[in-house]
Amino acid sequence: MIADHMLVRANPEGNTAQLAGRPKLLFIACYFPPVQAIGAVRGGNIERYLGSLGWEVTVVTPDPSLWRNVDDIEKLLTELDRGSLKRILTGHRWRFLVPNHLKCWDQNVGWVAGGICRSIARHLGIDRHIGWVKEAERACSHLCPKDVDIILASGSPFVSFRLAKTLSDRLRRPYVLDYRDPWTQSRFVGRPPRLKSVREEAGLLKDCAAVTIVSPSWAEDLDQRYGVGEKVHVVTNGYDSDEVATVRPYDFGHCAFVFTGNFYPPKISLAPFLAALKLLKESQNEMGNEWYFHYYGAQEDYVRQQAAHYGLTDRIVLHGRVPRREALAAVKGANLALGISSIYEQSQLIDKGTIPGKIFEAIGLGTPVLLITPLGSDATALLTPTGLVKSFTGSDTQGMVSFLQEVVGGRASQPKNIESCSWTTLSKNLDVILRGCLTFTTGHHHFLRDGAGSEPK
């Protein structure tokens, strides 16, 4: 049960007049700051930058106390106390389905029991966050049409899309679906999608006002499968100009190659990069320059094992999981950041459309990026013009070695047009999309916003 005080409004009572005329966005985002997850970064930037463009944003998200790993919790609590944020904080049942992110009983018998339940859920195709959607719906039960002009739902988890449709039907307000990841067309699972999930996705896409998605190939894939046509808009990930401006670079004291985050073998594997490092180490052109590969993340055992296989144990530094600000400082201080979308040379649309979000942060920080990606990928097309991203297929070991030799030799790439990757630019595109949806007609409802907080017509 979520207490009444957990509904936090943006302005103290008596200052609401300044919000008159501002469109009201209900933003459904399970992964959201301060949770330490890459999925939370996009949502945080959407809230912040749409707010600066005149939107009154209320975020529906789990209570921060439920997450295992959070960043800057003190800052968040201060902002909530100050009334500068609007949140509808929810509970989350069945947290044992997401033990890596949510606090739950995960010791001894609890871990065994939870493991059995997770296996059953996977077998039945149950979303791991199924225990959140009913709690979120209950937390939003007090909302009425005058509180909301439009609903935006971020996925994954895709139960947020289901919640958006439910609230849209009740409040008679249009909803927009924001895909951070593909839903039924998985990047990592080879088996066909479940027919029930495909039908649900089709129905939600049919009734939504618009769809935003992070890459052109994913937009094309969605259109091919569901015929979304002009509904779909590409809004990539990006970097927060204000955030990167405050990052102080970490001084490694040597040439540093950095990777932050997780690997997903065999598709997103460290092996091709380590093969290049092995040749770099043996190269006669290295001239004795000191360099090391630094890994920041939870998969230290995997990196340690791979490094031993390639004879690079003496060239690897493991830092473990660190706060976001520390990871950004490392990327800022690095001579090179590593990004991997797929090590396969030829890929389907779903792989060509994968653009690791961390690359945008490296661009904003002015750090050169070695990107391992398929031929003809969206990442290559969209990010090469920044002047900081150099793309290679997983099999182009010698090409990577040549580029690494340039980096070690101090011949760094220089940024060009990076502003196109900033949320200052991206949010303006999203603003236009959302404002265009404030009046939207479906076969079931006619939605019309006529001034702030209008009733449905």
Side-chain angles (χ1 to χ4, degrees), residues 93-245:
R93 296 182 181 179
W94 301 358
R95 298 200 296 270
F96 54 81
L97 293 178
V98 200
N100 54 328
H101 285 299
L102 291 165
K103 294 176 182 177
C104 62
W105 182 28
D106 63 343
Q107 300 295 323
N108 304 320
V109 176
W111 181 258
V112 174
I116 294 172
C117 292
R118 289 189 288 275
S119 296
I120 294 172
R122 282 194 298 270
H123 178 72
L124 297 177
I126 297 173
D127 192 295
R128 296 185 307 155
H129 286 281
I130 190 66
W132 176 60
V133 67
K134 284 298 182 183
E135 289 292 304
E137 187 176 343
R138 182 181 295 107
C140 292
S141 61
H142 68 284
L143 293 173
C144 57
K146 66 182 179 63
D147 297 320
V148 180
D149 291 314
I150 191 168
I151 301 164
L152 175 65
S154 178
S156 57
F158 296 102
V159 289
S160 65
F161 290 5
R162 190 183 306 165
L163 176 61
K165 168 65 172 169
T166 299
L167 292 174
S168 173
D169 288 344
R170 182 171 74 80
L171 299 173
R172 296 181 61 85
R173 292 294 185 250
Y175 68 93
V176 175
L177 305 179
D178 178 55
Y179 281 77
R180 300 192 322 272
D181 304 289
W183 181 358
T184 55
Q185 189 79 336
S186 174
R187 288 184 290 159
F188 303 114
V189 180
R191 63 176 179 269
R194 295 176 180 271
L195 183 58
K196 180 181 178 182
S197 297
V198 171
R199 287 174 174 168
E200 182 179 20
E201 185 175 25
L204 291 169
L205 287 168
K206 178 177 178 293
D207 291 339
C208 73
V211 180
T212 56
I213 201 163
V214 296
S215 70
S217 289
W218 286 2
E220 183 181 348
D221 174 76
L222 207 61
D223 188 35
Q224 287 181 0
R225 292 188 293 124
Y226 296 109
V228 289
E230 295 182 355
K231 274 188 179 182
V232 66
H233 307 268
V234 176
V235 179
T236 68
N237 287 308
Y239 67 87
D240 179 350
S241 303
D242 292 337
E243 180 183 42
V244 298

Side-chain angles (χ1 to χ4, degrees), residues 224-283:
Q224 287 181 0
R225 292 188 293 124
Y226 296 109
V228 289
E230 295 182 355
K231 274 188 179 182
V232 66
H233 307 268
V234 176
V235 179
T236 68
N237 287 308
Y239 67 87
D240 179 350
S241 303
D242 292 337
E243 180 183 42
V244 298
T246 64
V247 175
R248 300 182 63 180
Y250 180 79
D251 183 6
F252 288 98
H254 54 255
C255 182
F257 312 138
V258 166
F259 183 89
T260 62
N262 295 324
F263 300 96
Y264 300 91
K267 187 175 291 186
I268 300 179
S269 164
L270 184 56
F273 183 70
L274 292 185
L277 288 187
K278 180 179 180 180
L279 288 183
L280 177 66
K281 181 179 178 180
E282 298 168 352
S283 172

